[in-house]
Coordinates of all heavy atoms in Angstrom, one line a residue:
D271 N -11.1 19.9 14.0 CA -11.0 21.4 14.4 C -9.6 21.8 14.2 O -9.4 23.0 13.8 CB -11.4 21.5 15.9 CG -12.9 21.2 16.1 OD1 -13.7 21.2 15.1 OD2 -13.3 20.9 17.2
A272 N -8.6 21.0 14.5 CA -7.2 21.4 14.3 C -6.9 21.5 12.9 O -6.1 22.5 12.5 CB -6.3 20.4 15.0
V273 N -7.5 20.8 12.0 CA -7.2 20.9 10.6 C -7.8 22.2 10.0 O -7.2 22.9 9.2 CB -7.7 19.6 9.8 CG1 -7.6 19.9 8.3 CG2 -6.9 18.4 10.2
E274 N -9.0 22.5 10.5 CA -9.6 23.7 10.0 C -8.9 25.0 10.5 O -9.0 26.0 9.9 CB -11.1 23.8 10.5 CG -11.9 22.8 9.8 CD -13.4 22.8 10.2 OE1 -13.7 23.6 11.2 OE2 -14.2 22.1 9.7
S275 N -8.2 24.9 11.6 CA -7.4 26.0 12.1 C -6.2 26.3 11.2 O -5.6 27.4 11.4 CB -7.0 25.8 13.5 OG -6.0 24.7 13.6
M276 N -5.8 25.4 10.4 CA -4.6 25.5 9.5 C -3.3 25.8 10.2 O -2.4 26.4 9.7 CB -4.9 26.7 8.5 CG -6.2 26.6 7.7 SD -6.1 25.2 6.6 CE -4.9 25.6 5.4
D277 N -3.2 25.3 11.4 CA -2.0 25.4 12.2 C -1.5 24.0 12.6 O -2.1 23.3 13.3 CB -2.4 26.2 13.5 CG -1.1 26.6 14.3 OD1 0.0 26.2 13.8 OD2 -1.2 27.2 15.3
P278 N -0.4 23.6 12.1 CA 0.2 22.3 12.5 C 0.5 22.1 13.9 O 0.5 21.0 14.4 CB 1.4 22.2 11.6 CG 1.3 23.2 10.5 CD 0.5 24.3 11.1
N279 N 0.7 23.2 14.6 CA 1.0 23.1 16.1 C -0.2 22.5 16.8 O 0.0 21.9 17.9 CB 1.4 24.5 16.6 CG 2.7 25.0 16.0 OD1 3.6 24.2 15.8 ND2 2.8 26.3 15.8
N280 N -1.4 22.8 16.4 CA -2.6 22.2 17.0 C -2.6 20.7 16.9 O -3.0 20.0 17.8 CB -3.8 22.8 16.4 CG -4.0 24.3 16.8 OD1 -3.4 24.8 17.8 ND2 -4.7 25.0 15.9
I281 N -2.1 20.2 15.7 CA -2.1 18.7 15.5 C -1.0 18.1 16.4 O -1.1 17.1 16.9 CB -1.9 18.4 14.0 CG1 -2.9 19.0 13.2 CG2 -1.8 16.9 13.8 CD1 -2.8 18.8 11.6
V282 N 0.1 18.9 16.5 CA 1.2 18.4 17.4 C 0.7 18.3 18.8 O 1.0 17.3 19.6 CB 2.4 19.3 17.2 CG1 3.5 18.9 18.3 CG2 3.0 19.2 15.8
A283 N 0.0 19.3 19.3 CA -0.6 19.3 20.6 C -1.5 18.2 20.8 O -1.6 17.5 21.9 CB -1.2 20.6 21.0
L284 N -2.3 17.8 19.8 CA -3.2 16.7 19.9 C -2.5 15.4 20.0 O -2.9 14.5 20.7 CB -4.2 16.7 18.7 CG -5.3 15.7 18.7 CD1 -6.2 15.9 19.9 CD2 -6.1 15.8 17.4
L285 N -1.4 15.3 19.2 CA -0.6 14.0 19.2 C 0.1 13.8 20.6 O 0.4 12.7 21.0 CB 0.4 14.0 18.1 CG -0.1 13.5 16.8 CD1 1.0 13.6 15.7 CD2 -0.6 12.1 16.9
Q286 N 0.4 14.9 21.2 CA 1.1 14.7 22.5 C 0.1 14.1 23.6 O 0.6 13.4 24.4 CB 1.5 16.1 23.0 CG 2.7 16.7 22.3 CD 3.1 18.0 22.7 OE1 2.4 18.6 23.6 NE2 4.2 18.6 22.2
L287 N -1.2 14.4 23.4 CA -2.2 13.7 24.3 C -2.6 12.4 23.8 O -2.9 11.5 24.6 CB -3.4 14.7 24.5 CG -3.1 16.1 25.1 CD1 -4.3 16.9 25.1 CD2 -2.5 15.9 26.5
N288 N -2.6 12.2 22.5 CA -3.1 10.9 21.8 C -2.0 10.5 20.8 O -2.2 10.8 19.6 CB -4.4 11.1 21.2 CG -5.5 11.7 22.1 OD1 -6.1 10.9 22.9 ND2 -5.7 13.0 22.1
P289 N -0.9 9.9 21.3 CA 0.2 9.7 20.3 C 0.0 8.7 19.3 O 0.8 8.6 18.3 CB 1.3 9.2 21.3 CG 0.6 8.6 22.5 CD -0.7 9.4 22.6
Y290 N -1.2 7.9 19.3 CA -1.4 6.9 18.3 C -2.8 7.2 17.5 O -3.4 6.3 17.1 CB -1.4 5.5 18.8 CG 0.0 5.1 19.2 CD1 0.5 5.2 20.5 CD2 0.7 4.4 18.3 CE1 1.8 4.9 20.8 CE2 2.0 4.0 18.6 CZ 2.5 4.2 19.9 OH 3.8 3.8 20.2
H291 N -3.1 8.5 17.4 CA -4.3 8.9 16.7 C -3.9 8.8 15.2 O -3.0 9.5 14.7 CB -4.8 10.3 17.0 CG -6.0 10.7 16.3 ND1 -6.0 11.6 15.3 CD2 -7.3 10.3 16.4 CE1 -7.2 11.8 14.8 NE2 -8.0 11.0 15.5
I292 N -4.6 8.1 14.4 CA -4.2 7.7 13.0 C -4.2 8.9 12.1 O -3.2 9.2 11.5 CB -5.1 6.6 12.5 CG1 -5.1 5.4 13.4 CG2 -4.6 6.2 11.1 CD1 -3.7 4.7 13.6
D293 N -5.3 9.6 12.0 CA -5.4 10.7 11.1 C -4.4 11.9 11.4 O -3.9 12.5 10.5 CB -6.8 11.3 11.0 CG -7.8 10.3 10.3 OD1 -7.3 9.4 9.6 OD2 -9.0 10.5 10.5
S294 N -4.2 12.1 12.7 CA -3.2 13.1 13.1 C -1.8 12.7 12.6 O -1.0 13.5 12.2 CB -3.2 13.3 14.6 OG -4.5 13.7 15.0
L295 N -1.5 11.4 12.7 CA -0.2 10.9 12.3 C 0.0 11.0 10.7 O 1.0 11.4 10.3 CB 0.0 9.4 12.7 CG 0.1 9.1 14.2 CD1 0.1 7.6 14.5 CD2 1.4 9.7 14.7
L296 N -1.1 10.8 10.0 CA -1.0 10.9 8.6 C -0.9 12.3 8.1 O -0.1 12.7 7.2 CB -2.3 10.3 7.9 CG -2.5 8.8 8.1 CD1 -3.8 8.4 7.4 CD2 -1.4 8.0 7.6
Q297 N -1.6 13.2 8.8 CA -1.6 14.6 8.4 C -0.2 15.3 8.7 O 0.3 16.0 8.0 CB -2.7 15.4 9.0 CG -2.9 16.8 8.5 CD -3.5 16.9 7.1 OE1 -4.1 15.9 6.7 NE2 -3.2 18.0 6.4
L298 N 0.2 14.9 9.9 CA 1.5 15.5 10.3 C 2.7 14.9 9.5 O 3.7 15.6 9.3 CB 1.7 15.3 11.8 CG 2.9 16.0 12.5 CD1 2.7 17.5 12.4 CD2 3.1 15.6 14.0
S299 N 2.5 13.7 9.0 CA 3.6 13.1 8.2 C 3.7 13.9 6.9 O 4.8 14.2 6.4 CB 3.2 11.7 7.9 OG 4.1 11.1 7.0
D300 N 2.5 14.4 6.3 CA 2.6 15.2 5.1 C 3.2 16.5 5.4 O 4.0 17.0 4.5 CB 1.2 15.4 4.6 CG 0.5 14.1 4.0 OD1 1.3 13.2 3.7 OD2 -0.7 14.1 3.9
V301 N 3.0 17.1 6.5 CA 3.6 18.4 6.9 C 5.1 18.2 7.0 O 5.9 19.0 6.5 CB 3.0 18.9 8.2 CG1 3.8 20.2 8.6 CG2 1.5 19.2 8.1
C302 N 5.6 17.1 7.6 CA 7.0 16.9 7.7 C 7.7 16.6 6.4 O 8.8 17.0 6.1 CB 7.3 15.7 8.7 SG 6.8 16.0 10.4
R303 N 6.9 15.9 5.5 CA 7.5 15.6 4.2 C 7.6 16.9 3.4 O 8.6 17.1 2.6 CB 6.6 14.6 3.5 CG 7.1 14.2 2.1 CD 6.2 13.0 1.7 NE 4.9 13.3 1.7 CZ 4.2 14.1 0.8 NH1 4.9 14.6 -0.2 NH2 2.9 14.3 0.9
I304 N 6.7 17.8 3.5 CA 6.8 19.1 2.8 C 7.9 19.9 3.3 O 8.6 20.6 2.6 CB 5.4 19.9 2.9 CG1 4.3 19.1 2.2 CG2 5.6 21.3 2.4 CD1 2.9 19.8 2.4

Side-chain angles (χ1 to χ4, degrees):
D271 296 341
V273 171
E274 290 181 357
S275 68
M276 305 297 292
D277 188 3
N279 294 324
N280 295 333
I281 303 177
V282 174
L284 184 63
L285 273 177
Q286 290 178 354
L287 299 176
N288 306 276
Y290 287 92
H291 181 254
I292 303 299
D293 288 344
S294 299
L295 293 171
L296 297 179
Q297 190 71 22
L298 191 60
S299 175
D300 290 342
V301 174
C302 295
R303 186 171 49 81
I304 293 173

